[in-house]
Amino acid sequence: MSYRIPSPPPSLEELAKRQQNVVTASQLRARGVPARIITEHCRRGGPWQRLLPRVYLLQPAEPTPEQRMWAALLYAAQNGREEGRGEGAVITGTAALALYGFTAVPRLPAVTGVDVLVPRQRRLKDVGEVRIRRTERELEAHSVHGLACAPVARAVADALDEWTADPDLPAPVREVLREAVSRPENRCTVRELAAELIESGLTVEPRVRAALDELLAAERDSVLERLGHLVDEWLLPVPLNAPELRMRGGTYIAVPDLYWPERGVAVEVDPDLRCVSEGEAAWVRGGQHRMEYLGIRVVYVSGDRLAAEPDAVGGELREAHRAGGTDVVELLVV
């Protein structure tokens, strides 16, 4: 049996270089720096300074914006271990968006508050410009300039939560949502963003709901356009686009995205992309169930799968059109 010899912790010089001269009291003690030396070095005119409780800057000059971020992260992540990377905490909100490079938020020097996300059980208080946010979910960290940041969708949600606290306060809600899904270097899908905003309860805010609806509609139109090209490529008959289906007596049934009335086959594309509210989602699901109950063959198409496996989706559409529905009752197509 072989044993792996653990590598020694980095020296104070290596650690300071990695963390841009920001270190914690426990990291200093672990490298043999006694408390009295820390106190002496942080006196007025000394070579070090205290930035936050148990967090020090190993230089007399004013901290840079990145050093302030490191201080906030290390303050929230302190647990007496040699993590040195902010384990157990991630920067979120406007500060994270600034680190990601969002143009819709102020540049990093203008960001005064730093939101840090930590597990709910952590006992921490807001201090200085650091605001502690808690979550019951497992933390996910993305390294941005060496700093642990929340994923784009979560950072956006936390920023919006702060901005929408005052409905009269101008906030770049629409711009931030658009940028979140259009930046290839930190890709966030519309579905991921919508799920995070719904989870955070932010879709009850009119500005957020309206901006998200625009993104969902645009994404949905893009998927439907790709699906239309696929129907042409597989030489299928031209279907009806979004027809309203009713019983002969006028009872409403559904509005499928595509429908072949001669075959009794309907296509539904990502219903979650057009449903922000729970009521709308239930309305769409009800229509799907009614179509199936009446014998209509419903093909469900995911935009992600359409992009990844277009041939497989095309084959399914052709097979569904060949097979047709089962005992479809006569319907009115409006």
Side-chain angles (χ1 to χ4, degrees):
M1 180 180 295
S2 61
Y3 294 91
R4 182 180 177 183
I5 301 176
S7 57
S11 66
L12 180 56
E13 291 75 15
E14 293 170 330
L15 185 68
K17 182 178 180 180
R18 190 173 71 186
Q19 297 177 182
Q20 296 198 24
N21 259 10
V22 182
V23 298
T24 66
S26 62
Q27 289 174 338
L28 288 170
R29 288 196 301 270
R31 287 159 179 81
V33 181
R36 63 177 182 81
I37 295 297
I38 299 175
T39 301
E40 290 176 2
H41 280 42
C42 291
R43 286 175 179 166
R44 184 182 297 273
W48 297 353
Q49 55 184 301
R50 176 182 176 275
L51 295 181
L52 292 169
R54 301 176 301 284
V55 179
Y56 303 93
L57 179 62
L58 307 186
Q59 67 185 49
E62 286 293 313
T64 66
E66 291 80 6
Q67 287 172 329
R68 291 192 294 107
M69 299 293 168
W70 268 108
L73 190 61
L74 291 173
Y75 163 74
Q78 291 181 83
N79 55 16
R81 295 187 300 174
E82 278 296 336
E83 76 293 304
R85 290 285 186 181
E87 183 180 336
V90 293
I91 296 173
T92 189
T94 305
L97 298 184
L99 286 167
Y100 276 118
F102 273 56
T103 60
V105 301
R107 290 180 176 271
L108 198 54
V111 176
T112 56
V114 184
D115 289 335
V116 184
L117 192 64
V118 301
R120 181 168 294 279
Q121 66 271 20
R122 294 288 303 282
R123 293 186 177 182
L124 286 168
K125 296 181 179 179
D126 295 354
V127 59
E129 63 180 13
V130 181
R131 295 185 294 264
I132 300 298
R133 288 180 173 269
R134 291 176 170 80
T135 180
E136 294 181 349
R137 288 181 281 170
E138 183 177 353
L139 289 182
E140 181 182 349
H142 292 185
S143 180
V144 184
H145 306 302
L147 290 157
C149 288
V152 170
R154 178 59 196 251
V156 167
D158 286 335
L160 294 183
D161 185 48
E162 177 187 351
W163 298 343
T164 57
D166 183 354
D168 298 323
L169 182 68
V173 175
R174 180 174 283 101
E175 293 80 1
V176 164
L177 294 191
R178 287 176 178 172
E179 193 168 357
V181 299
S182 63
R183 297 176 60 85
E185 63 271 28
N186 38 64
R187 178 67 173 157
C188 170
T189 67
V190 175
R191 185 178 286 100
E192 289 170 343
L193 184 60
E196 190 64 59
L197 296 179
I198 293 171
E199 174 74 19
S200 302
L202 286 163
T203 52
V204 300
E205 212 285 331
R207 288 180 293 177
V208 175
R209 186 169 61 248
L212 181 58
D213 278 342
E214 289 183 10
L215 288 183
L216 292 171
E219 178 71 8
R220 187 174 176 76
D221 288 345
S222 176
V223 173
L224 286 170
E225 183 179 3
R226 295 200 303 270
L227 185 60
H229 293 322
L230 189 66
V231 168
D232 292 340
E233 291 172 8
W234 283 76
L235 303 178
L236 292 169
V238 177
L240 299 178
N241 289 303
E244 183 176 312
L245 306 183
R246 290 183 177 271
M247 300 290 288
R248 280 296 175 183
T251 302
Y252 172 82
I253 299 173
V255 180
D257 291 307
L258 302 178
Y259 185 58
W260 285 282
E262 72 282 0
R263 301 300 297 160
V265 175
V267 178
E268 285 283 357
V269 173
D270 282 336
D272 54 321
L273 288 180
R274 63 179 174 185
C275 304
V276 172
S277 71
E278 183 177 350
E280 290 175 344
W283 177 76
V284 171
R285 287 194 298 270
Q288 295 166 352
H289 294 158
R290 285 191 292 272
M291 286 191 291
E292 292 176 341
Y293 178 78
L294 292 171
I296 295 173
R297 185 180 297 274
V298 182
V299 182
Y300 297 95
V301 177
S302 160
D304 291 341
R305 186 160 180 260
L306 178 60
E309 303 175 345
D311 289 343
V313 174
E316 290 172 7
L317 291 177
R318 184 174 62 182
E319 176 58 27
H321 187 271
R322 185 199 63 78
T326 57
D327 299 326
V328 180
V329 300
E330 190 175 357
L331 302 176
L332 289 174
V333 179
V334 181

